[in-house]
């Protein structure tokens, strides 16, 4: 039963033994309430929308479910048929408010602990509904694979913080620089636009000994020759090949590789996992 050592553990009662969960994702929500109010709501009979963790505005972390059991706040990511699913974190406040500095610090620390405890959680933003990694509730759309109804959770300002602060801070100890962590379907248009904007190299000018294809403006050029050409004159002569010409290796093409990675994600080479972030002792646990 994975329990966070620096969280206040207040486990919710379950009416029946839950199916086991193998976490591969972390999804962040907003409670649209205070954390005590969310705690009361989650304890009502038949309550839905429960998360594994809650983070208050002051940075206090509460754990409601152990991370080997599914929550029910991420729709199809709660528990998939292969036993994988998401650990969900609800944050105190409303979708119109930003996260406090204390909340961001607590979220970073909690992400690090979850990624150490569950190595199947990938060190990147989720790219598809079942792709291992990190996300907020509406990263892949609303309605979408993680919410059946339209919503803005965790909120526009918090989404900006997730992209600009939370994600870079979480991934920095792994040596990962975040340049564009939006999902692939949002980047597709930009990739195509970049492809269309590529300039085509102009055709090389004809060599000095080659005649232009356009008619000459010199009147004398239209004068027929005094003697018609013989068969020997008109026979095509073999063109000498330049022995110095060699086949150049295929050049690196970032747009082609981006398209291949977009449409064929499984073809990308799998890099080894980077080293872990600071240990629990170094974090001051």
């Amino acid at each position: 039963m994975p329990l966070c050592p620096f969280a206040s553990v207040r486990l919710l009662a379950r009416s029946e033994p839950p199916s086991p969960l193998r976490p591969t994702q972390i999804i962040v929500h907003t409670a649209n309430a205070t954390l005590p109010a969310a705690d009361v709501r989650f304890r009502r009979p038949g309550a839905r929308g429960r998360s594994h963790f809650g983070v208050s505005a002051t940075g206090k972390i509460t754990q409601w479910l152990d991370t080997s059991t599914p929550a029910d706040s991420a729709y199809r990511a709660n528990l998939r048929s292969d036993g994988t699913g998401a650990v969900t974190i609800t944050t105190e406040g409303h979708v119109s408010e930003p996260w406090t500095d204390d909340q961001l610090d607590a979220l970073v620390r909690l992400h690090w602990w979850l990624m150490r405890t569950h190595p199947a959680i990938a060190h990147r933003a989720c790219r598809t509904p079942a792709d291992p990694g990190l996300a907020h509730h509406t990263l892949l759309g609303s309605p979408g694979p993680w919410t059946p109804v339209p919503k803005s959770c965790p909120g526009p300002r918090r989404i900006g913080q997730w992209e600009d602060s939370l994600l870079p801070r979480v991934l920095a100890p792994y040596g990962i620089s975040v340049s564009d962590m939006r999902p692939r379907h949002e980047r597709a248009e930009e990739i195509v636009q970049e492809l269309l904007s590529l300039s085509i190299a102009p055709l090389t000018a004809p060599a000095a000994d080659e005649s232009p294809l356009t008619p000459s403006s010199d009147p004398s050029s239209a004068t027929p020759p005094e003697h018609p050409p013989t068969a020997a004159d008109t026979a095509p002569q073999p063109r000498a090949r330049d022995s110095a010409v060699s086949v150049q290796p295929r050049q690196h093409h970032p747009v082609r590789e981006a398209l291949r990675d977009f449409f064929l994600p499984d073809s990308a080479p799998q890099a080894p996992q980077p080293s872990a972030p600071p240990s629990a002792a170094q974090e001051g646990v």
Side-chain angles (χ1 to χ4, degrees), residues 3-237:
L3 299 176
C4 181
F6 48 85
S8 173
V9 178
R10 293 176 49 81
L11 296 181
L12 303 173
R14 307 294 291 251
S15 58
E16 57 185 24
S19 301
L21 171 70
R22 183 168 64 89
T24 58
Q25 298 169 319
I26 302 174
I27 298 179
V28 183
H29 303 254
T30 289
N32 275 321
T34 65
L35 215 59
D39 184 272
V40 171
R41 184 174 77 240
F42 290 165
R43 296 182 186 281
R44 293 173 183 163
R48 302 290 297 174
R50 296 170 295 183
S51 291
H52 290 90
F53 294 92
V55 178
S56 73
T58 60
K60 178 183 177 182
I61 300 173
T62 299
Q63 184 168 3
W64 289 302
L65 300 169
D66 79 81
T67 55
S68 64
T69 62
D72 52 19
S73 59
Y75 193 29
R76 295 173 183 164
N78 291 329
L79 181 66
R80 289 181 281 269
S81 58
D82 61 357
T84 65
V87 172
T88 56
I89 305 172
T90 288
T91 54
E92 185 175 48
H94 297 271
V95 293
S96 60
E97 303 168 340
W99 285 316
T100 66
D101 290 342
D102 290 335
Q103 274 180 310
L104 283 170
D105 291 343
L107 284 168
V108 170
R109 190 183 186 195
L110 182 55
H111 274 68
W112 282 346
W113 179 81
L114 287 169
M115 294 164 74
R116 284 200 307 267
T117 305
H118 303 288
I121 299 174
H123 308 153
R124 61 172 181 254
C126 296
R127 302 166 297 181
T128 63
D131 185 42
L134 316 176
H136 60 76
H137 197 191
T138 55
L139 178 66
L140 296 184
S142 170
W146 301 331
T147 173
V149 298
K151 59 175 59 180
S152 61
C153 179
R157 300 173 72 179
R158 296 185 178 198
I159 290 174
Q161 290 175 298
W162 185 88
E163 295 174 346
D164 299 335
S165 179
L166 178 59
L167 202 59
R169 287 178 61 188
V170 169
L171 298 179
Y174 297 92
I176 301 173
S177 176
V178 180
S179 57
D180 186 354
M181 301 301 296
R182 287 169 296 165
R184 295 162 185 255
H185 75 278
E186 292 184 8
R187 292 191 289 120
E189 182 178 354
E190 295 180 11
I191 293 173
V192 172
Q193 290 294 336
E194 183 180 355
L195 181 63
L196 294 176
S197 67
L198 288 178
S199 60
I200 301 176
L203 295 175
T204 57
D209 59 347
E210 294 182 7
S211 300
L213 296 179
T214 56
S216 172
S217 59
D218 185 0
S220 63
S221 64
T223 304
E226 295 183 4
H227 303 286
T230 64
D233 295 331
T234 58
Q237 299 298 320

